[in-house]
Amino acid sequence: MLAIGTNTTKAHPVIALQLKAASRNGTRLIVANPKEIVLSRHAEIVMQQKPGTDVVLLMAMMKVIVDENLQDQQFINERTENFDEFKKSLNTFGIEYAEKITGVPGETIIEAARTFATTKPASIFYAMGITQHSHGTDNVIAVSNLALLTGNIGKPGTGVNPLRGQNNVQGACDMGALPNVYTGYQRVDNPDVKKKFETAWGVELNGKNGLTHTEIFDDAYNGKIKAIYMVGENPILSEANAHHVREAIEKLGFFVAQDIFMTETSILADVILPGASFAEKDGTVTNTERRVQRMHRAIKPVGDSKPDWWIAAEIAKRMGGKGFEYAGAEEIFSEITSLTPSYQGISYGRLEHGGLQWPCPTTEHPGTPILHTEKFPREGGKGKFMPLVYRESAELADKDYPLILTTDRSLYHYHTSTMTRKVEGLELLDSEELLIINPEDAGKYGISSGDMVVITSRRGDVRSKAKVSGECPPGVISMTFHFAETPTNDITNPALDPVAKIPETKVSAVKIRKVV
Amino acid sequence: MEKIKLTIDGMAITADRGKTILEAALDNGIYIPHLCHHQDLAPAAVCRVCLVEVEGRGHTISCRTPVEEGLTISTESDHLNKIRRIPVELIFANHDTDCIACTRNNNCQLQRVASYLGLERDSMDRMRMGNIEKPIDTSNPFFDRNPNRCIYCGICIRTCDEIQNINAIDFASRGYKMTVSTFGDNPIADSRCESCGECVVRCPVGALSPKTTMEPSRSVKSVCTYCGVGCGVELGVRGNSVVSVEGDRDNAVNHGSLCVKGRYGFEFINHRERIRKPLIKKNGKFEESTWDEALDLVAKKFREYGKEKVAVFSSAKCSNEDNYVIQKFTRAVLGTNSIDHCARL
Amino acid sequence: MNSSAGKAGKGGKVVKLKINFDEITIKANQDWKELQSAKKPVILVGTATCGRSAGSLETLEALRHEIKLAGIDCEVIEVGCIGLCYAEPIVCITKPSQPVVCYGDINPAKAKDLVDNYIIGDDPVAAYALGTLGDGSINGIPRLVDTDVFKPQVRRVLKRCGSIDPTNLNHYIATDGYKGMNKALGMDSKGMIEEIKKSGLRGRGGAGFPTWKKWQFCNDAPGEQKYLICNADEGDPGAFMNRSLLEGDPHALVEGMIIAGKAIGATKGYIYCRAEYPLALERLDMAIEQAHSHGFMGKDIMGSGFSFDLKIKEGAGAFVCGEETALIASIEGERGMPRPRPPFPAISGLWGKPTIINNVDTLASVSLIFQNSAEWFAEYGSKDSKGTKNFALVGKVKRTGLVEVPLGITIREMIYGIGGGILNDKEFKAVQTGGPSGGCIPASLIDTPVDYDSLAQVGSIMGSGGMVVMDEDNCMVDVARYFLDFTQKESCGKCVPCRLGTKQMLDILDDITQGRGKPEDIDLLEEIGFSVKRGSLCGLGQTAPNPVLSTIRYFRNEYESHIVHKKCESKVCRDLISYSIDQEKCTGCRLCYSACPTNAITGDKKKPHSIIQYECIRCGMCLEKCPPKFNAVQCIPGQIITERS
């Protein structure tokens, strides 16, 4: 197993249990992470690459595999295309070059490559450490190339496993809470799809892709967007370069926030609508392995709060929308399954006996634990190797900003901590931001554990207590973004990946000084 | 799985190969007293009360002995009771027996074993009492560690090792002075412990007990609201409050395991700071309003701005149904595709 | 040198092997002979740990100093322990063409006498001599083998201890050393195990399990990697058999391990020895290094194709680590706690691989069997207990020491023959064999033969060979309490019966010896003892109640006397004795009066004194101070109850 760009024990503790158990039972674990994480203790090979150099690390591993002829040639021949083109692109990723860029000893890269290529089956786990980069898409492609090269896709114990952050981030995407697709990734710019939804919903629909998260704030800032309806989000803490988000929101004509608590963002709203928490709702969520599971209402909504769907439907009805007269969650789910092929065979009745992994096209279908067993969802059904070049992170350490700040998470808090900081015990266990800094750097700046430090980037500054620890290598510092008192994302880099439009919160150039 | 036939107390039973005698008995509804056995953990064979007699072999520790074809086992005899009664009496002589004050009262393996063996006050009183005034570790915000109720079965240690792979605790010191200790015997809060509570759940007595111990009146299955793993939970409900969370052992994702947030991070649900009514900002201050007033205001404003001027953020914390309705509203009513959520953060 | 010889090719293998070993032997013999037939005097000083604690290093220093002063050419060699603990420090002197004379109790002053009279002069100082070694005798000094101490003994395992330089490999080789290994290298496992079976060797560590059977299990167990472990974690109070052997003849163990490794197919061996044995560890280290440099260890030993390596693992002195599975856990770096069996180590031991654990004496005996023969080994011993066995004979005997006797000898022969009888000719009461796991054998069973089965029959065990002799002044309840206190402290705590049972029994014994015993306590002790024996996880707990159960069995009256009459007849348990002053004899000299730490003695000067019982803490100072000519203070069993006025 290769775990890259995931601090699993903190962000996905229960999956980490399974990784640790596998390692204990003899599965060989390779961990690649700029920080020395808890999972490293359980790994056979540990690589601490510099933040933002994952493409180089992975491509160099693949060059070793190809050079030593360790690739799964049969899989490549039968199930993929564009291998030769890709092979050429490996040429630049020699081991010395990789060692120089990533900071990982060449022998370790070679050892990792050999181990990964010769141990079957092998799987890859990754999380935000791969995606939150200005070249996050390249990182993901590199991961997928590695899986294709070693034939580790579509079989038990293999695969590329992105570990998703939120409990229903998979579901939100599946449901079309994205600017370019309806449910089940049916594209809004596809006329057939448009027609299907127009028929189902009885309205005329817009065939043009909408704006992404970051673009919405940009347009709000520029005055093109006048009103925002925001459900359960706290971008003032979570978004890179959060200053900009605050200013954008302040420029809006009308801002509606729907949430269970007052947050750093909702306090800016003109109207706040009280949503119900998960315990107060019936419904389904879809986890990181595409498993649709049933939530049952445990208590009635606290106060006058209402399920989020009810609120949206009420606004819709008051704006003249048709087809929003739902009696309950199950009725909505039926509408979803009728419009979404991958969910078609799922029903509340079936979910009573445990979750189902989509695609589940028919009511008899058992669900699909493993994707791409026979073909890939592309024209021709083959997996495509993508040649890659190394693109540096948008900001590198330089004379003025000599350190790289990367973001991480705490086991005890969740995202912007809107919920977890309401739990007294969790707050006791972890009550403030701690900037992790290597002893070598700490020495340079005269910083000891417990000192207050100002961290400054090109976008602003924040203050945090320091914790001197070897978890971070020299030159790299790390912070979470759980604490409103230390809004780390005020200073992170909003540079976007051109395809996925994801901000580069994992690599920002900063300077620090101790507060005396 | 190969089936093994054996006889326990004259009853012919079958068990899967690899099961222990104790597991086979329990699976077939035959109780053999035991304290250190836990279904999720490798056998430790330290409490020595699960003795049975195997024909031809004499007394045998049942939690460690695999079933074999044709074994004839008896779980009850004077000889057995003579051997296994003493350890239980000894445990009681070193145990805080104020059961009413214990969170495990009526759900305690030690009570069960004692009643099985017919232990009475008198028989326990013949033993010299040990020290049951050792200090209690209350440092963890979610649970206490009370050594005076500990029976040193090692289930917590094995859980932390075998299931969690964290190893925050282990045995320290020898013999009668043995304790369950953190590294350097620091309070548990200053140890490597991640407060997952897996040991608390498995403690067969009240040595590890949750700080808030409201007994729920019913339990409802749901899915944990934190990360993307999607652990099955059972919400313990009392009145209109969630008072406990337990892992759902039937769930294919977590098989009952939970992390600290999942198990203990439920206080926010009924938190006093929950927004209970729609709020409308008037003159820079939020004022409570009715749903009608708030919804009408929102609908009116959105209508005013019209197409392409309104954008929507949905939430990865909301259900599929919520997200579906929100995107449908965005597309069908607001007429825009400018909807997104925090998938990238 | 030898490993390269082994690589020379298959053809020359056998020849090479012979040549190499013969060459080495010839050289060793020359070295040894030179020493024996030297033109100059040779002085051997026993500087094992036992000698050192008696001051042998000072004696050594004095000898060297005197020799230097006298300007005499003389060889001084440090050797191991000859086994005569009561006579340490021990010095042996050989003069050209004279038998070796062995001297006891040689302090620096006596050392000077020896140099002056025997090294410089020709007077062998018969007054200091214990006897001569070997056949010759001089000037009325008896041969040691004819003395009572040595007569019943058959020194085989210990034959080199005290007579060779343990740091000199040549001494070992010249006395048949590594001959056994050389023989074994040419044999197959089957033949080797057969040889051990013929010899009748049983494990010397405690339970007496037939060694060949254990080896056979391990040999039959599937698996490429197997391990051999020597249990040198001697932990019984008062036992020092292993220490003496390791210090005095370390190669005997190393050779035995190579042979055993070959027999069971282990390529790696561990010696688990307690860190409190620094000298033994040093000697072992050296022996292993010497074996390596002579090609007796390492890859492809002497071209035989068999490879073997030894590693020393120092234990921290936990008694429970002498238990096989706890020992394995300790080597693995885990907390030294026993693991339930099955699986037995021979099937799944160290790191889950088939593992044999043998005791030091067992492995040294293996060397002997292969150096000589199975038949030779079995010459001595009884029907089911073959060979000789080392014992640490300690306690209330006149001559304590490390002895080696043929199995089957009676307890009487050991105590009254070798030991010279009870100290101060008091009454023999009991002997504890097998350390804290063993039992007390009463005087009435003094003619019990010392072998595995006879000892078990009377409720004790052979154990590793501790033998603690007790006389009328020993209180058996106190003895049981002492041993239980030890096992209770050494219990690892893992299983309930041992952790809590031994503590409970100790609490009860504390109560009994302090006058708080209840009549039902004896039954309760037996009941708990039974459950602890049957219910405990490992050998420690399964045997821990033995001292209590055996003393109850043979000395129940003492328990009853403590409980019912509140009397300790042996006058050991402080709370159950009293001191009183004989009014007739007391002259009022006031010596006791001023010595009493609690001012419990009253009386006017020159008038008889008396003791205020409730102030008395029974420290015995008054008895000690009372001049023998008056002999007025007496200690009597039982409590004298007087009320505080």
Side-chain angles (χ1 to χ4, degrees), chain C residues 42-46 56 59-60 63 76-77 79 82 87-94 100-107 110-111 114-115 119 128-131 133 162:
Chain C
V42 178
I43 304 176
L44 308 180
V45 185
S56 68
T59 303
L60 178 70
L63 280 167
V76 180
I77 296 172
V79 298
I82 199 167
E88 293 282 1
I90 287 172
V91 171
C92 296
I93 299 178
T94 323
V100 186
V101 187
C102 183
Y103 300 95
D105 286 317
I106 303 302
N107 57 26
K110 288 183 178 175
L114 286 177
V115 174
I119 304 289
Y128 298 165
L130 297 164
L133 294 176

Side-chain angles (χ1 to χ4, degrees), chain A residues 166 178 335 348 411 500, chain B residues 261 317 321 324 331 337 344:
Chain A
Q166 299 272 6
L178 291 169
E335 186 174 319
Y348 273 25
L411 170 67
Chain B
K261 297 186 289 287
K317 275 268 155 286
E321 291 75 2
Y324 175 80
R331 294 186 158 112
N337 284 313
R344 299 172 181 84

Side-chain angles (χ1 to χ4, degrees), chain B residues 48 83 128 173-175 178, chain C residues 335 490-491 504 511 531 535:
Chain B
R48 318 303 281 180
I83 301 174
R128 270 64 168 174
S173 299
R174 266 188 276 175
M178 187 174 80
Chain C
R335 188 179 151 86
E490 292 292 339
S491 162
Q504 185 69 220
D511 279 357
S531 174

Side-chain angles (χ1 to χ4, degrees), chain A residues 52-301:
Chain A
T53 64
D54 309 78
V55 164
V56 180
L57 183 70
L58 292 165
M59 289 297 271
M61 278 174 69
M62 288 185 267
K63 184 167 190 316
V64 172
I65 292 170
V66 171
D67 286 351
E68 301 189 0
N69 206 23
L70 300 172
Q71 71 273 27
D72 186 340
Q73 199 60 46
Q74 192 189 349
F75 183 89
I76 294 169
N77 295 345
E78 289 171 5
R79 305 242 0 230
T80 72
E81 57 192 40
N82 208 29
F83 177 61
D84 293 334
E85 197 67 26
F86 162 73
K87 202 169 151 183
K88 269 185 238 151
S89 81
L90 287 175
N91 283 337
T92 41
F93 297 95
I95 214 73
E96 293 81 18
Y97 171 76
E99 182 170 317
K100 197 179 111 215
I101 300 289
T102 62
V104 180
E107 304 125 57
T108 313
I109 302 177
I110 294 170
E111 196 194 339
R114 287 179 186 155
T115 304
F116 188 82
T118 56
T119 313
K120 305 266 164 124
S123 51
I124 308 173
F125 294 83
Y126 73 81
M128 292 302 191
I130 281 292
T131 53
Q132 285 182 340
H133 292 277
S134 57
H135 53 264
T137 307
D138 291 353
N139 285 347
V140 174
I141 289 170
V143 167
S144 116
N145 283 341
L146 178 62
L148 290 176
L149 185 68
T150 52
N152 278 311
I153 282 190
K155 299 169 214 165
T158 69
V160 174
N161 304 278
L163 302 178
R164 317 252 9 205
Q166 299 272 6
N167 63 328
N168 199 31
V169 62
Q170 183 68 47
C173 294
D174 295 350
M175 290 305 108
L178 291 169
N180 57 341
V181 289
Y182 296 104
T183 62
Y185 308 94
Q186 305 174 78
R187 301 192 63 90
V188 296
D189 56 5
N190 179 328
D192 295 341
V193 171
K194 182 165 171 257
K195 189 128 211 282
K196 168 177 159 187
F197 278 90
E198 283 176 341
T199 314
W201 292 348
V203 288
E204 204 173 301
L205 292 168
N206 186 335
K208 211 170 78 215
N209 283 349
L211 301 172
T212 66
H213 206 282
T214 328
E215 289 166 341
I216 291 173
F217 287 119
D218 286 345
D219 275 13
Y221 190 83
N222 299 331
K224 285 191 217 152
I225 292 286
K226 295 289 184 197
I228 288 179
Y229 173 38
M230 177 171 290
V231 182
E233 281 223 9
N234 190 8
I236 289 209
L237 280 192
S238 63
E239 193 79 351
N241 196 6
H243 276 314
H244 172 73
V245 173
R246 174 182 292 271
E247 285 164 32
I249 290 175
E250 280 164 357
K251 288 191 177 184
L252 289 172
F254 188 62
F255 179 42
V256 183
Q258 185 167 312
D259 213 316
I260 60 174
F261 286 110
M262 192 67 86
T263 69
E264 292 72 21
T265 308
S266 63
I267 201 154
L268 302 174
D270 297 296
V271 176
I272 301 179
L273 304 172
S277 83
F278 82 109
E280 298 142 46
K281 290 195 240 197
D282 274 313
T284 57
V285 284
T286 308
N287 80 348
T288 187
E289 37 171 14
R290 294 170 282 103
R291 192 187 302 270
V292 183
Q293 301 193 98
R294 181 81 161 80
M295 301 194 300
H296 293 89
R297 189 178 114 148
I299 55 175
K300 67 178 200 298

Side-chain angles (χ1 to χ4, degrees), chain C residues 214-382:
Chain C
K214 214 179 197 182
W215 288 15
Q216 190 72 56
F217 285 142
C218 183
N219 200 55
D220 293 348
E224 283 292 297
Q225 180 69 59
K226 292 175 186 178
Y227 293 104
L228 172 69
I229 298 174
C230 170
N231 182 353
D233 195 53
E234 190 167 52
D236 293 359
F240 49 87
M241 297 76 63
N242 296 348
R243 190 192 66 210
S244 281
L245 186 68
L246 296 177
E247 289 176 354
D249 190 14
H251 280 287
L253 171 65
V254 173
E255 182 180 359
M257 290 194 75
I258 300 169
I259 298 170
K262 174 86 168 60
I264 61 167
T267 54
K268 185 138 185 116
Y270 288 87
I271 301 174
Y272 188 84
C273 183
R274 46 183 48 223
E276 295 100 313
Y277 282 2
L279 186 61
L281 288 165
E282 188 190 313
R283 296 269 154 90
L284 274 174
D285 246 341
M286 187 180 291
I288 291 170
E289 203 190 301
Q290 287 169 345
H292 261 289
S293 64
H294 281 70
F296 299 160
M297 208 184 289
K299 275 209 161 55
D300 190 17
I301 298 169
M302 321 246 346
S304 66
F306 172 63
S307 302
F308 189 74
D309 259 310
L310 261 184
K311 208 177 156 181
I312 298 175
K313 185 84 192 175
E314 290 182 32
F319 181 63
V320 72
C321 287
E323 199 280 340
E324 293 192 346
T325 55
L327 188 155
I328 286 173
S330 176
I331 291 183
E332 288 173 356
E334 301 273 327
R335 188 179 151 86
M337 294 216 276
R339 298 165 179 173
R341 294 183 275 195
F344 289 91
I347 311 298
S348 169
L350 188 62
W351 289 301
K353 305 284 186 258
T355 303
I356 283 296
I357 302 178
N358 280 141
N359 158 281
V360 174
D361 278 358
T362 313
L363 289 162
S365 300
V366 166
S367 300
L368 282 182
I369 292 166
F370 281 82
Q371 283 163 11
N372 299 281
S373 69
E375 293 75 18
W376 175 86
F377 181 83
E379 272 168 21
Y380 286 102
S382 57

Side-chain angles (χ1 to χ4, degrees), chain B residues 44-48 51 59 61 64 79 82-91 93-94 125-129 151-152 170-176 178, chain C residues 318-319 335 337 340 342-343 488-497 499-501 503-504 507-508 511 516 518 521 524 527-528 530-531 534-537:
Chain B
V46 298
C47 73
R48 318 303 281 180
L51 283 174
H59 66 273
I61 293 292
R64 248 199 90 86
H79 178 75
K82 201 176 156 199
I83 301 174
R84 60 192 176 190
R85 196 186 164 91
I86 291 285
V88 182
E89 286 183 21
L90 289 170
I91 289 172
N94 291 280
D125 284 347
R126 65 188 178 144
M127 297 288 179
R128 270 64 168 174
M129 280 301 286
I151 58 169
Y152 303 94
D170 202 343
F171 288 122
S173 299
R174 266 188 276 175
Y176 187 70
M178 187 174 80
Chain C
F319 181 63
R335 188 179 151 86
M337 294 216 276
Q488 186 271 138
K489 281 182 183 140
E490 292 292 339
S491 162
C492 78
K494 186 170 181 169
C495 74
V496 176
R499 182 181 71 243
L500 299 180
K503 176 68 165 58
Q504 185 69 220
D507 286 348
I508 296 172
D511 279 357
R516 295 185 300 269
K518 295 180 269 185
D521 281 343
L524 185 57
E527 197 182 332
I528 300 172
F530 172 79
S531 174
R534 294 302 164 89
S536 289
L537 191 153

